[in-house]
Amino acid sequence: MNLPNKLTLIRIILTPFYLAVMLIETIPFHYLIACAIFAAASITDFLDGKIARKNNLVTDFGKLCDPLADKMLTTAALLAFMQQGYCNIWIVMIILTREFLVTSFRLVAASQGVVIAAGIWGKLKTVSQMVFSIFIMLALFAVDSLGFKFDSLSIVSNILLGITAFLTALSGIKYIVDGLKVIDFSK
């Protein structure tokens, strides 16, 4: 197994640990620890693709599991935020609907030997999810462990994640429009 695929596996393995630490409030500084795990997992996302392209190490495993690992990590964050009141259920619904649709299109395209490249909107979606999630976790740490006052954190969190949902929907529409041009739906 090559290094990019190992990094993808690390992201998959870190995700349940992230979620557990995020939700177990009895762990001292749990938001900060969860943030560190999430940030480390996010860095593997940046590194695996860069290393794979630079060293011609792109594999079918990587093409399938890299986006899956991203979805696992970002969905874990959204679910944790939702459970704690920092993410509206409609944001989660929009993001998950897009992910299921794009994954379905990706599978149909792959079965026909067609690759629909991820566009800039998809990359912006993933970056915004990761950056905003890290910001929210740091704010939660500041409130929970450092005693900062941030009465509107839920509103700010929902605005940031709402921006992510908008970018997610936009990237999904673009992906589907591109897919409609190259996928044969008569098969």
Side-chain angles (χ1 to χ4, degrees):
M1 180 170 287
N2 66 32
L3 178 58
N5 290 344
K6 288 177 183 175
L7 291 171
T8 297
L9 278 177
I10 289 170
R11 188 160 63 261
I12 290 169
I13 292 166
L14 285 176
T15 297
F17 289 100
Y18 154 74
L19 188 59
V21 171
M22 183 71 179
L23 296 177
I24 299 173
E25 296 178 3
T26 56
I27 298 172
F29 306 111
H30 73 106
Y31 288 125
L32 186 61
I33 296 166
C35 184
I37 294 168
F38 186 91
S42 297
I43 290 168
T44 69
D45 179 40
F46 171 74
L47 292 175
D48 66 7
K50 186 172 184 146
I51 293 168
R53 286 185 296 277
K54 181 181 177 187
N55 298 308
N56 198 25
L57 297 173
V58 176
T59 64
D60 289 339
F61 175 86
K63 288 178 193 176
L64 177 68
C65 288
D66 177 60
L68 175 67
D70 295 345
K71 288 167 187 42
M72 287 175 64
L73 181 64
T74 56
T75 299
L78 290 172
L79 292 174
F81 295 146
M82 187 177 75
Q83 193 265 345
Q84 296 173 335
Y86 295 101
C87 180
N88 184 287
I89 193 169
W90 289 105
I91 292 170
V92 176
M93 182 64 187
I94 290 166
I95 291 171
L96 289 181
T97 298
R98 181 267 187 205
E99 299 301 355
F100 287 132
L101 284 171
V102 167
T103 298
S104 298
F105 263 67
R106 187 174 280 133
L107 290 171
V108 171
S111 74
Q112 296 178 10
V114 175
V115 175
I116 306 168
I120 186 66
W121 293 107
K123 292 178 183 5
L124 286 172
K125 177 249 336 169
T126 301
V127 168
S128 73
Q129 285 178 321
M130 291 178 176
V131 169
F132 292 162
S133 293
I134 289 169
F135 172 80
I136 293 164
M137 284 180 274
L138 289 174
L140 287 167
F141 166 71
V143 169
D144 185 60
S145 297
L146 302 178
F148 281 52
K149 295 290 182 202
F150 197 163
D151 296 331
S152 58
L153 179 55
S154 179
I155 294 167
V156 171
S157 174
N158 276 287
I159 289 170
L160 293 175
L161 296 172
I163 292 167
T164 293
F166 174 77
L167 291 172
T168 301
L170 192 60
S171 72
I173 291 166
K174 174 77 171 107
Y175 194 92
I176 289 169
V177 167
D178 291 348
L180 291 172
K181 295 175 188 173
V182 296
I183 297 173
D184 181 359
F185 288 94
S186 67
K187 294 181 179 182

